[in-house]
Amino acid sequence: MNDDRRSHEASILRAFFDDQLQHLHQLVSNLGSHIHDAELQANEDRQIVESFVDASNTKMRAVQGYSDKLSEHVRALHRHVLHVADRIPPPVDLNREAFESDQLVNALFVNSKDIEKLFATDPDAKVYLRSRSKNQVPVLYALLTAVKSEKRMLGMDMHGDMLIREVPQQAVNFSLHKIHAPCSGGAELSAALKEYLFGCVVGLVKREMVSRMASHQSFSTGDESYESKVKSLANPDVYLNALLGYIEAPDKLLSIDKTHFKLSKLGIKLEDDDSGQRANEFDIHELIWSNDIRNVVLQIAYVR
């Protein structure tokens, strides 16, 4: 009887220790996975910083601890760009059929022939399509940008059965269509879109800093003093600090705006309650860059 009881107690203890050992193994495994993920994230962060330095100004590497100084700001800028990219809707078809059925596509182009002309003349699209057969890439995915302009004008309008002349109207036009980051699939486009936006932001940052350096050099022409050189943007430390100040507010470098439009087939802006004529009603997303340039943006899929 005592032997049975001792055997039962030993069995319970073994089960308890087995559970604890399994739990310990799980904790160690989770810790290892967490460390591995942290290492991967750290490597990715370093690559982002180094890519930023390569594209903006490699002389910043002369600054001791430049990577640590840049890391927080550059990672915040990169996260912001990813957030902007996520707000751009999924790809829409861009072809003759879409021109007839998709109100956004219909508004962006004067006629369906303009769509074919775009892919035949756009430099990036031409290079990509010429280097790949239809069998290799039956559907081209890409980013499309265009410039929206609005103009006040006098036109004609119908009020009931009466034709009214010289009515103030707002005409909306889309021009300067451009294809960016052509590729062969939706997942590839998603990655290319983020890379394209980040590259554009870094390019704008570089141009701003080059402009500041040129302005500073013009202002201090003839001043060859040691103090002047130390305070100059040609000094990597000064340059890096000025750059950090410029990129500390990522939303000022790039933002995205969504606007709802209702346009007549002639491109005249209509009120929401205006149902007297055929119209295109749609949302557009515009990228707003630090140099005040705005680009209508959408992801597209073009069947060859």
Side-chain angles (χ1 to χ4, degrees):
M1 190 77 172
N2 289 336
D3 290 342
D4 290 343
R5 186 174 63 189
R6 282 196 296 270
S7 176
H8 178 66
E9 290 174 348
S11 177
I12 292 176
L13 283 173
R14 281 197 299 271
F16 172 77
F17 285 119
D18 285 344
D19 288 343
Q20 293 301 307
L21 187 60
Q22 183 178 1
H23 180 61
L24 179 61
H25 281 313
Q26 186 64 45
L27 287 175
V28 172
S29 176
N30 290 341
L31 178 60
S33 177
H34 177 73
I35 292 174
H36 179 67
D37 291 344
E39 289 177 347
L40 288 177
Q41 185 62 54
N43 287 333
E44 181 180 339
D45 290 343
R46 280 193 293 270
Q47 290 175 6
I48 291 170
V49 171
E50 294 304 324
S51 296
F52 179 88
V53 173
D54 285 336
S56 54
N57 190 337
T58 57
K59 291 182 179 180
M60 286 187 290
R61 291 196 172 100
V63 179
Q64 185 175 6
Y66 74 93
S67 182
D68 292 335
K69 293 178 180 180
L70 284 169
S71 181
E72 182 180 347
H73 285 72
V74 173
R75 286 189 293 112
L77 176 60
H78 188 255
R79 286 194 300 270
H80 175 72
V81 169
L82 298 187
H83 176 68
V84 170
D86 288 340
R87 291 185 58 191
I88 300 175
V92 299
D93 291 334
L94 193 61
N95 50 41
R96 291 176 180 268
E97 292 74 18
F99 181 79
E100 300 297 333
S101 61
D102 190 309
Q103 296 187 34
L104 172 58
V105 174
N106 188 269
L108 286 174
F109 295 90
V110 175
N111 55 58
S112 60
K113 291 182 179 179
D114 285 347
I115 297 175
E116 298 299 329
K117 182 180 178 181
L118 173 65
F119 286 97
T121 59
D122 182 89
D124 288 355
K126 282 172 60 179
V127 170
Y128 187 86
L129 292 174
R130 285 178 179 176
S131 62
R132 296 161 179 82
S133 68
K134 288 185 179 180
N135 290 333
Q136 291 175 309
V137 182
V139 181
L140 179 145
Y141 288 80
L143 187 69
L144 172 68
T145 60
V147 175
K148 175 182 68 67
S149 58
E150 299 190 32
K151 180 181 179 181
R152 296 289 296 177
M153 57 182 290
L154 296 177
M156 296 184 295
D157 196 8
M158 294 294 296
H159 285 266
D161 296 330
M162 184 180 299
L163 179 64
I164 308 297
R165 298 180 183 275
E166 296 189 352
V167 177
Q169 296 176 331
Q170 189 85 354
V172 180
N173 180 59
F174 298 95
S175 61
L176 301 177
H177 300 71
K178 181 79 177 69
I179 297 293
H180 309 271
C183 55
S184 60
E188 188 180 351
L189 176 58
S190 178
L193 166 61
K194 296 176 176 65
E195 183 177 344
Y196 167 78
L197 293 179
F198 190 64
C200 288
V201 170
V202 176
L204 285 173
V205 170
K206 181 177 182 178
R207 286 194 288 275
E208 170 64 22
M209 296 306 294
V210 168
S211 175
R212 290 188 184 188
M213 289 183 70
S215 176
H216 186 271
Q217 288 173 356
S218 175
F219 179 77
S220 60
T221 299
D223 187 354
E224 297 294 333
S225 67
Y226 174 77
E227 183 180 2
S228 176
K229 291 180 179 180
V230 169
K231 293 181 178 179
S232 168
L233 284 172
N235 180 335
D237 285 281
V238 176
Y239 182 97
L240 189 146
N241 288 331
L243 182 141
L244 291 177
Y246 183 61
I247 68 173
E248 66 180 353
D251 58 324
K252 293 183 179 179
L253 302 176
L254 174 65
S255 59
I256 187 168
D257 184 40
K258 176 183 176 182
T259 310
H260 185 76
F261 277 89
K262 184 175 183 180
L263 303 180
S264 74
K265 293 297 181 178
L266 296 177
I268 303 302
K269 188 180 288 187
L270 304 175
E271 299 297 331
D272 291 338
D273 58 355
D274 191 338
S275 58
Q277 55 182 304
R278 293 177 61 202
N280 289 319
E281 195 163 356
F282 54 90
D283 293 326
I284 65 167
H285 292 76
E286 282 186 285
L287 298 173
I288 307 170
W289 305 94
S290 59
N291 55 5
D292 294 328
I293 290 178
R294 301 173 70 103
N295 291 125
V296 176
V297 60
L298 63 159
Q299 300 182 77
I300 57 97
Y302 171 72
V303 179
R304 301 173 69 180

